[in-house]
Amino acid sequence: MGLPVSHILLATGFLLVLIGMWGMLKHRNILRIIIGFSLIDTGLHIVMVATGYVTGHTAPIIDKALGIGDATSRAVDPIPAALVVTAIVIGFSVTAVMLAFAIRVYDAKKSLSIDALTESKW
Amino acid sequence: MKRAFTLLAVLMFGIIFARMVGDYSERQSVSALAEHYLSVVPQELGAPNVVTGILITFRGFDTLGEVAVLFMVAASVGILLASQPEARQQKELTEPEPRRPSELVQNGAEVILPLIFLFGAYVIMNGHLSAGGGFQGGAVVASAVMLLVLAKPSSQLHHGFLSITESLAGVLYVSIGILGLIFAAGFLDSHILPKGDFGTLFSAGAIPLISTLLGIKVGAELSVIIDRFRN
């Protein structure tokens, strides 16, 4: 049988989270930090979708292959998929606002390094 | 030193995640709530795509909130990036001519652009029948706008048109919700229109209508956000 599908998906998602975390901690460039955030975001989306998978079941769309009657016994959990849409929208929104702030920071400091923002340190 | 700490932090998270993956056992059956959705959405709402049924009807209020979030992002990005006119004039004087898009992007956009718009419209309209929906189709349409901006940097998006379309779609969305409050069981209930034949384009009550409005609204909002970043 090999590895279960949800384990592969979970491992991929968490790996993306780790790469994003590494990128955020290591780099000083604001754009790279934002890219790291996006990677964490995407990884978590994959993790969320992976938790909805049920062994051997198919997509929750009724068609020729999946009758109305056996939807409950043969379809995967649709709730994580519906929740992830919300998460994607919020992630997109946060990324857009962060990029806008990055542009303002560049205008003010003429630099994209977070070392230029020492006065906002605690 | 700093590098070692970073490595340590990532490594420890890695151990936590690895243990989580190792202990996770794949589910063998869906939860009771999912079972309810899987039987109610096709039978009572008449929508073959269960995820769209949940998004548009059961979580319709939440979807309205998400669209409001997108609207607020468009507004806040607009405020953040609004540059003073004198600064912009100076920028135009001092900055050299921007690099022209490559031949490949320009010609490719001419071929692909109509197809992407068509695909976006298809995804929006077939959201209740197959994989897709208002949000997804709106994002596809916005990606076409992104390509347009890349291929023809001089093209101007009509902000007035976009904001009127977007507001109109929002007003209609809320009115359909209120109609559901009056004629059916609650806010955004899709039973205000007849259920129709299962699996056809005009079926599933008001779901295709709400999905289309959602697609238009999301597409317009994302296009405005993309355009704001251009200046």
Side-chain angles (χ1 to χ4, degrees):
Chain A
M1 229 328 245
L3 271 174
V5 177
S6 53
H7 282 81
I8 299 172
L9 278 177
L10 281 175
T12 316
F14 281 134
L15 194 68
L16 272 180
V17 173
L18 288 178
I19 294 171
M21 222 173 250
W22 170 257
M24 271 177 108
L25 290 174
K26 183 171 178 298
H27 290 290
R28 316 294 296 166
N29 186 315
I30 290 177
L31 284 184
R32 288 176 189 226
I33 293 172
I34 295 174
I35 292 171
F37 171 83
S38 292
L39 282 175
I40 293 180
D41 209 42
T42 313
L44 287 178
H45 297 158
I46 295 174
V47 168
M48 276 167 80
V49 172
T51 57
Y53 183 73
V54 182
T55 312
H57 287 207
T58 181
I61 297 171
I62 311 290
D63 55 6
K64 272 177 264 158
L66 182 74
I68 290 188
D70 49 61
T72 50
S73 60
R74 281 197 48 227
V76 299
D77 198 336
I79 300 166
L83 287 177
V84 157
V85 174
T86 312
I88 290 173
V89 172
I90 303 301
F92 167 81
S93 312
V94 174
T95 313
V97 174
M98 282 200 299
L99 284 172
F101 271 117
I103 292 174
R104 294 309 281 177
V105 166
Y106 184 76
D107 277 350
K109 304 276 179 189
K110 296 291 167 221
S111 160
L112 274 174
S113 167
I114 45 170
D115 296 323
L117 297 171
T118 39
E119 76 267 31
S120 14
K121 247 180 175 174
W122 64 82
Chain B
M1 194 62 197
K2 201 160 184 179
R3 214 185 167 111
F5 272 126
T6 311
L7 197 64
L8 191 70
V10 173
L11 214 66
M12 277 160 100
F13 268 108
I15 292 168
I16 295 172
F17 290 155
R19 291 194 64 120
M20 277 165 80
V21 175
D23 287 348
Y24 184 79
S25 52
E26 202 163 86
R27 292 164 64 182
Q28 300 302 318
S29 62
V30 293
S31 62
L33 179 65
E35 217 164 274
H36 175 74
Y37 280 148
L38 283 168
S39 59
V40 162
V41 171
Q43 275 162 23
E44 285 179 23
L45 299 180
N49 186 347
V50 178
V51 177
T52 302
I54 294 173
L55 274 179
I56 305 272
T57 306
F58 291 103
R59 293 169 58 82
F61 200 58
D62 179 87
T63 304
L64 185 63
E66 281 167 45
V67 178
V69 166
L70 277 185
F71 175 74
M72 281 191 285
V73 169
S76 57
V77 167
I79 291 172
L80 277 172
L81 295 183
S83 51
Q84 289 79 19
E86 62 264 32
R88 186 178 293 172
Q89 265 175 10
Q90 203 178 18
K91 207 171 146 193
E92 273 169 11
L93 284 177
T94 51
E95 276 191 9
E97 191 82 351
R99 199 155 60 99
R100 283 170 53 79
S102 77
E103 195 84 19
L104 205 61
V105 173
Q106 264 181 330
N107 292 334
E110 278 172 15
V111 178
I112 299 173
L113 213 54
L115 291 178
I116 300 180
F117 277 119
L118 191 67
F119 180 64
Y122 170 81
V123 168
I124 291 172
M125 280 312 294
N126 280 280
H128 59 303
L129 301 178
S130 64
F135 263 112
Q136 295 86 333
V140 171
V141 170
S143 75
V145 172
M146 183 89 195
L147 183 60
L148 176 76
V149 168
L150 285 178
K152 290 194 174 60
S154 57
S155 61
Q156 287 292 322
L157 291 187
H158 201 301
H159 272 264
F161 170 75
L162 280 177
S163 60
I164 287 173
T165 322
E166 190 245 302
S167 324
L168 215 61
V171 168
L172 283 174
Y173 188 109
V174 176
S175 341
I176 287 175
I178 292 170
L179 282 180
L181 212 55
I182 298 168
F183 296 111
F187 191 69
L188 283 171
D189 192 340
S190 68
H191 286 110
I192 51 169
L193 290 175
K195 223 187 329 177
D197 294 328
F198 187 79
T200 53
L201 187 58
F202 295 102
S203 64
I207 288 181
L209 194 61
I210 297 174
S211 182
T212 309
L213 290 172
L214 196 64
I216 293 170
K217 197 163 161 56
V218 171
E221 276 166 351
L222 294 186
S223 309
V224 169
I225 293 176
I226 288 169
D227 194 55
R228 288 267 159 79
F229 274 108
R230 189 158 54 147
N231 303 319

